Amino acid sequence: MIIYGNCGEVFRRVHWNNRGKKSIVWRCVSRLENTGLFCDALTVQESTIEQVLVTAINNTLSGKDAFLSTLQTNIATVLSKENDQTLADIDIRLEELQTQLLKLASSKADYEDVAEETHRERQP
Ligand SMILES: [Zn+2]
């Protein structure tokens, strides 16, 4: 999820067709819908977002073994647990996890706490 700091709205993935040249771009919702907010956000190519994300993830993970192993465990848990659920259910769960990750992005210490809590809740 991408939130534009200036207007506070989310970016949305858009299939772009510019004079026959197709690409996937992300645009602020304020520029796609009438949200009543003035917005000066530029249109961003998805490939640019991918590059920025990879760099950010690499920076977060580099040299942080504990963070990486917790993340791997959580991903494995979600994949095995949600396997027989419907796509809609998985989407809801992924949204919860995304919200959680957003909050955690500012604090790696908190991430450890939630991981522990998740572990406790799995105990019979
Ligand atoms: Zn905006």
Side-chain angles (χ1 to χ4, degrees), residues 4-11 27-31 35 37-41:
Y4 184 55
N6 283 9
C7 79
E9 274 295 348
V10 294
F11 265 52
R27 303 195 73 197
C28 184
V29 163
S30 292
R31 309 207 60 176
T35 60
L37 296 166
F38 169 77
C39 183
D40 60 354

Side-chain angles (χ1 to χ4, degrees), residues 71-84:
L71 184 61
Q72 282 175 331
T73 306
N74 285 355
I75 290 170
T77 302
V78 170
L79 288 179
S80 60
K81 213 164 119 187
E82 316 270 342
N83 221 6
D84 52 357

Side-chain angles (χ1 to χ4, degrees), residues 10-60:
V10 294
F11 265 52
R12 183 178 293 164
R13 196 168 188 257
V14 180
H15 288 261
W16 195 256
N17 194 341
N18 190 9
R19 291 183 220 120
K21 187 172 178 277
K22 289 177 186 174
S23 60
I24 294 169
V25 298
W26 287 67
R27 303 195 73 197
C28 184
V29 163
S30 292
R31 309 207 60 176
L32 296 167
E33 295 170 4
N34 185 12
T35 60
L37 296 166
F38 169 77
C39 183
D40 60 354
L42 299 173
T43 299
V44 186
Q45 291 287 333
E46 186 165 74
S47 57
T48 304
I49 291 174
E50 284 169 355
Q51 284 164 19
V52 170
L53 270 179
V54 166
T55 303
I57 289 168
N58 283 342
N59 287 344
T60 305

